[in-house]
Amino acid sequence: MSDRSVLRRTSTHLRRAVPWFVAAALLATVGLPSVAALGTLPVAPMIGVAHPLASTASFSVNLTDQPAFSPQYLSAPAGSPVSIQLTNTGNLNHTFTLVAQPNVVLSPSWSPAQVDRFFQTNGSLANVSLAPGASGWANLSANTSSGPASFEFVSVVPYQFQAGMFGFLNFTATGPGLQLSENTTDGLQFVPNVLTAAPAHYPVSIDVLVTNEGSFGHTFTLASQSNVTLSPGNFTTYFQQHAPLVSATVPSGGGSTVWANFTIKGPGVYQYICEIPGHFASGMDGFLYVGVTPPAPPAPPSTAIVDTWILAGSAALLGVGVVLTLVAAYSGRFPRSPGSGHH
Ligand SMILES: [Cu+2]
């Protein structure tokens, strides 16, 4: 056999090998979507988000034949859910009908038809009808995001409102407060080291429950000024000049807890550190974002080990195709091309 004919035969075989290369490459790409999916594996949140303290404002109101509400004025922290127990202590029907819009006061000169028309047009936050001796509940949440607000309630039984049966549910400026959780570790870290709170009102009281996950004692010490970044070298002097908002001692021993309670006057980023010598220098600090969006969370942990195996598998599939092709090219025998069907 001449060199030329060997060359021609080899090139023919390589052409016939092309479908096998393509098939092997397709098999190899099967692994790629899995790699992409692994990149989006959910990771545990590294940011602590404040939630409202579970404090429902509860009231008990009597509806009387005077006719009147007793008490007439209710006061709740802005943003808190409200639960009102209503009791009709009289011999007439009464209603507890709450205006849906804040700071709207109905006129006692309106006729019963005008009062009805008002509620038909504007709706109500609560509308409870009570027969003599009956009890009921009005449970509601009012939108007080625009600040202190007052919601009027009336009885819409004709001429009761006009005779003085009305009252006000007042929401005060200070919200019900927010609650956060924080942990300390023997690795000298706060976990998480980013806390966020989005209060509806200022000042806002924030309570942080700090739990010792390790055994060393720590402190949760919060700077009183926002947007100040402390360093291990300057924090002692800084705190002498600007007393911390709170410095709570986390007792040593696993599972011990302490509440760090404080009031924040306005939005900003507030740094907290551990004052135990050496701990801040080892990275024991964090930032509390109040009414400020924190930077994007850290990238998820690498899935490189898993990815490597999937890529290696894909490479192996490609390798099998290549080896088959080379063996076939030199032996001159080919299996039927994949996808070519029967001849
Ligand atoms: Cu510490």
Side-chain angles (χ1 to χ4, degrees):
M1 199 191 294
S2 73
D3 282 357
R4 261 185 94 83
S5 76
V6 167
L7 204 61
R8 194 163 52 241
R9 197 179 107 184
T10 303
S11 86
T12 305
H13 289 167
L14 283 175
R15 262 202 313 279
R16 291 168 67 183
V18 165
W20 287 96
F21 270 115
V22 172
L26 285 175
L27 278 173
T29 58
V30 165
L32 293 180
S34 323
V35 175
L38 282 168
T40 58
L41 272 180
V43 292
M46 293 301 293
I47 296 179
V49 179
H51 57 88
L53 289 167
S55 61
T56 298
S58 298
F59 303 96
S60 189
V61 174
N62 289 334
L63 293 73
T64 75
D65 287 348
Q66 192 177 8
F69 292 102
S70 176
Q72 187 177 15
Y73 299 97
L74 312 176
S75 185
S80 55
V82 173
S83 180
I84 308 171
Q85 184 174 30
L86 303 162
T87 305
N88 185 343
T89 58
N91 297 307
L92 304 169
N93 289 327
H94 298 286
T95 80
F96 176 92
T97 306
L98 186 65
V99 175
Q101 292 76 28
N103 309 318
V104 171
V105 179
L106 308 194
S107 167
S109 68
W110 287 0
S111 69
Q114 285 175 303
V115 173
D116 285 346
R117 202 152 49 238
F118 172 85
F119 283 109
Q120 278 161 16
T121 306
N122 299 290
S124 58
L125 275 183
N127 185 24
V128 180
S129 265
L130 293 174
S135 289
W137 291 87
N139 298 310
L140 58 110
S141 281
N143 180 359
T144 54
S145 58
S146 55
S150 187
F151 294 80
E152 187 173 20
F153 50 88
V154 304
S155 172
V156 296
V157 174
Y159 298 107
Q160 291 187 354
F161 161 60
Q162 290 80 356
M165 193 161 184
F166 63 87
F168 289 91
L169 170 58
N170 298 313
F171 289 94
T172 55
T174 304
L178 298 170
Q179 189 175 315
L180 280 158
S181 295
E182 180 59 277
N183 302 282
T184 59
T185 73
D186 282 353
L188 305 185
Q189 300 284 322
F190 286 111
V191 180
N193 63 359
V194 172
L195 300 174
T196 69
H201 301 272
Y202 297 96
V204 59
S205 63
I206 298 181
D207 298 345
V208 181
L209 178 61
V210 188
T211 301
N212 196 340
E213 283 191 340
S215 56
F216 303 150
H218 301 283
T219 76
F220 178 93
T221 306
L222 183 69
S224 60
Q225 295 175 303
S226 64
N227 309 318
V228 169
T229 303
L230 306 176
S231 73
N234 75 6
F235 78 85
T236 308
T237 312
Y238 173 82
F239 283 136
Q240 284 165 359
Q241 293 164 354
H242 309 276
L245 272 184
V246 67
S247 182
T249 299
V250 188
S252 59
S256 64
T257 61
V258 67
W259 282 98
N261 301 336
F262 49 92
T263 299
I264 294 276
K265 290 199 177 105
V269 184
Y270 298 82
Q271 189 177 21
Y272 55 93
I273 68 156
C274 175
E275 289 187 277
I276 305 294
H279 288 201
F280 183 19
S282 298
M284 195 157 188
D285 72 325
F287 290 91
L288 167 65
Y289 292 76
V290 183
V292 176
T293 305
S302 170
T303 52
I305 294 168
V306 184
D307 292 359
T308 301
W309 282 108
I310 289 175
L311 286 173
S314 302
L317 287 171
L318 186 58
V320 166
V322 170
V323 168
L324 278 174
T325 304
L326 289 177
V327 168
Y330 281 98
S331 71
R333 290 166 187 237
F334 277 88
R336 223 164 34 211
S337 295
S340 67
H342 52 83
H343 298 283

